[in-house]
Amino acid sequence: MVGHMNLNTSSQSNSTQSLLTPEEKAEADAKSVYVGNVDYGATAEEIEQHFHGCGSVARVTILCDKFSGHPKGFAYVEFTEKDGMQNALAMTDSLLRGRQIKVDPKRTNRPGLSTTNRPPFRGRGGRGRGNVIVKYVYGGGFRPRGRGARRRPGFAPY
DNA sequence: GTTGAGCGTT
């Protein structure tokens, strides 16, 4: 028999959405964790190294205010594998730069869950809160925006 | 020059 068919089924070519439930999809699609309560002085590098022990960090995103220009103190950590994200979840309330950070599964939007109820402002050209996102590159997939990356000289991934 | 809100893209 020469015709050895490849029953590879390849798999991922198919739409993974149908096979994955919304819950799994959220985790698989996210592969990232939301970090809160981060010190304003903490940089992506610190967060990356802190989470690096959980797994391979793909990218670290820090949210900052574009209008004010002041960092919000929140960041997102994306892992190259889901394992890293799950490990990061266990790092919740871990001590980072002397501050306990909050780690939660990434979410697109969260209902009012804050100490102070924040009613959304509607109307007016106010485009939401207007947050600028500062991206930090790790490994080298894409280049960060802004004038020059914040990469500190002499910084080695390992 | 401060402070503490809660969700982002390649």
Side-chain angles (χ1 to χ4, degrees):
Chain A
M1 301 258 258
V2 217
H4 196 25
M5 234 187 249
N6 244 6
L7 292 184
N8 215 354
T9 75
S10 301
S11 49
Q12 295 194 347
S13 286
N14 271 346
S15 16
T16 44
Q17 283 180 330
S18 300
L19 298 176
L20 294 178
T21 56
E23 221 173 89
E24 290 178 326
K25 187 165 85 170
E27 288 186 73
D29 189 30
K31 250 187 335 196
S32 328
V33 292
Y34 167 81
V35 185
N37 201 27
V38 181
D39 186 71
Y40 297 109
T43 77
E45 186 189 299
E46 298 289 322
I47 303 173
E48 172 204 358
Q49 297 228 3
H50 193 80
F51 281 95
H52 191 267
C54 294
S56 307
V57 179
R59 172 169 69 182
V60 180
T61 311
I62 303 176
L63 272 85
C64 297
D65 298 333
K66 180 161 47 166
F67 293 96
S68 300
H70 297 172
K72 282 203 209 149
F74 311 127
Y76 302 90
V77 181
E78 184 172 326
F79 291 88
T80 59
E81 49 184 87
K82 194 167 139 193
D83 191 37
M85 183 194 82
Q86 289 190 125
N87 276 314
L89 295 176
M91 294 257 303
T92 291
D93 294 329
S94 57
L95 226 65
L96 179 70
R97 224 193 183 253
R99 249 84 149 167
Q100 281 201 333
I101 57 173
K102 287 192 194 175
V103 183
D104 287 312
K106 216 258 303 179
R107 227 157 220 199
T108 343
N109 272 325
R110 200 181 231 242
L113 181 94
S114 41
T115 57
T116 56
N117 280 355
R118 225 195 211 158
F121 289 91
R122 43 182 90 173
R124 281 306 238 48
R127 235 19 62 126
R129 318 153 194 112
N131 302 333
V132 76
I133 307 108
V134 182
K135 279 166 213 176
Y136 180 73
V137 190
Y138 177 74
F142 63 98
R143 336 187 239 134
R145 302 192 199 165
R147 359 192 185 124
R150 270 208 173 174
R151 278 168 62 193
R152 274 159 64 176
F155 166 65
Y158 284 92

